[in-house]
Amino acid sequence: KQYDCVLQILLLSSDSTDDFSLHCIKEITMDSIIFDVDGTLWDSRALVAEGYNLQLRDEGLTRYCVDAARLRPLFGKVMTVIADELFADFPPAERYALMERCMARENAYLQKNECRIGYPGIVEALRTLAGTHRLFIVSNSQRGYPELCIEKLGLGDCIRGHLCFGNTGTSKGKTIRTLMEKYNITSCAYIGDTQGDLEATVEAGVPFIWAAYGFDTPSAFDLRIDTPLDLVQLEREGKL
């Protein structure tokens, strides 16, 4: 498909620095914007760790307990990869079953928590963008997690649809394409924070907007935001 955008990729060097809030290297026009969750909409690492640890302690597996720092490099990866990292001592079937139980406990824990973990300005930014674009979510998470994020941030009237690894069982790039086909999206960008998000956009064939306030530094991006409200500025400049 042909997308109504002008692509220009910047490869980041390890010593490059920017002292301004927006590093815009392309012009894009699009009807939809797709968001990552962790490191883009909110930072749930501490609460996720607490949910995992409740389950691990109940099962007498306290030596596998985690904290936010341990989860940081794992966020954005699919659940099987996270299980391989956290529970490598277990045979595959057992580690994936344990991961499922931890994620179920995580969802239950997040549901009971107020979850005041949205990035400053994210709700205002999405509510503004929802007036001009269709907004969606694609995550590598388990089923139920995008819905929790939408509910806790109060974005039910802004997000038109969502898909995750738990729904599709495919790579994030393929999940993005599946969502695009499901909702007849012909021009969009994906906003995320990790190298994996960049690679997903390459696979999906869509522009990548890097949320630089998140967890990782990707090797390239099409647009950069340093705060969620930078998206509003990009919209005002006609770059979205």
Side-chain angles (χ1 to χ4, degrees):
K1 292 183 178 180
Q2 297 295 319
Y3 295 93
D4 184 15
C5 61
V6 180
L7 293 178
Q8 184 180 9
I9 300 296
L10 172 68
L11 296 179
L12 300 179
S13 63
S14 59
D15 60 349
S16 65
T17 58
D18 297 303
D19 58 359
F20 46 90
S21 62
L22 292 176
H23 191 110
C24 302
I25 58 172
K26 65 178 288 184
E27 294 181 356
I28 313 171
T29 57
M30 61 197 71
D31 61 54
S32 301
I33 303 172
I34 308 173
F35 290 83
D36 175 41
V37 175
D38 294 310
T40 302
L41 298 180
W42 70 7
D43 180 359
S44 67
R45 290 173 299 153
L47 292 180
V48 170
E50 290 168 12
Y52 283 12
N53 292 345
L54 288 172
Q55 186 65 33
L56 293 169
R57 291 191 186 102
D58 283 354
E59 298 192 25
L61 299 172
T62 55
R63 72 188 184 94
Y64 293 96
C65 285
V66 297
D67 58 18
R70 178 73 177 95
L71 292 180
R72 182 184 178 107
L74 301 179
F75 266 37
K77 301 181 185 299
V78 299
M79 294 102 68
T80 51
V81 172
I82 296 175
D84 291 341
E85 290 282 343
L86 296 180
F87 310 126
D89 295 346
F90 293 83
E94 292 182 24
R95 82 175 66 131
Y96 300 144
L98 175 59
M99 190 70 201
E100 289 285 350
R101 296 192 297 275
C102 286
M103 291 187 301
R105 190 66 171 269
E106 166 204 339
N107 277 1
Y109 186 71
L110 289 172
Q111 186 64 61
K112 295 177 181 178
N113 195 283
E114 291 185 358
C115 293
R116 298 184 182 278
I117 52 177
Y119 286 107
I122 193 65
V123 174
E124 179 183 347
L126 266 68
R127 289 198 175 283
T128 300
L129 292 175
T132 53
H133 297 75
R134 293 189 298 164
L135 307 183
F136 300 90
I137 287 174
V138 166
S139 169
N140 268 339
S141 69
Q142 70 272 24
R143 283 178 290 181
Y145 189 73
E147 294 93 327
L148 272 169
C149 179
I150 293 166
E151 175 189 345
K152 295 298 183 177
L153 293 183
L155 295 172
D157 57 341
C158 296
I159 303 298
R160 301 290 190 91
H162 54 83
L163 281 178
C164 65
F165 176 79
N167 300 126
T168 65
T170 64
S171 68
K172 181 176 276 190
K174 290 180 180 177
T175 300
I176 291 172
R177 294 298 308 176
T178 299
L179 180 120
M180 292 174 66
E181 292 165 6
K182 179 178 181 180
Y183 291 97
N184 193 31
I185 299 170
T186 58
S187 59
C188 68
Y190 186 79
I191 303 178
D193 63 303
T194 68
Q195 180 68 23
D197 291 332
L198 166 64
E199 292 168 1
T201 63
V202 172
E203 181 181 8
V206 302
F208 177 55
I209 300 177
W210 175 36
Y213 53 84
F215 301 148
D216 193 15
T217 302
S219 60
F221 55 81
D222 298 307
L223 290 172
R224 167 180 173 161
I225 58 171
D226 289 309
T227 74
L229 288 174
D230 287 348
L231 289 168
V232 177
Q233 182 63 28
L234 288 177
E235 171 65 17
R236 288 172 180 162
E237 295 173 357
K239 294 189 170 90
L240 294 181

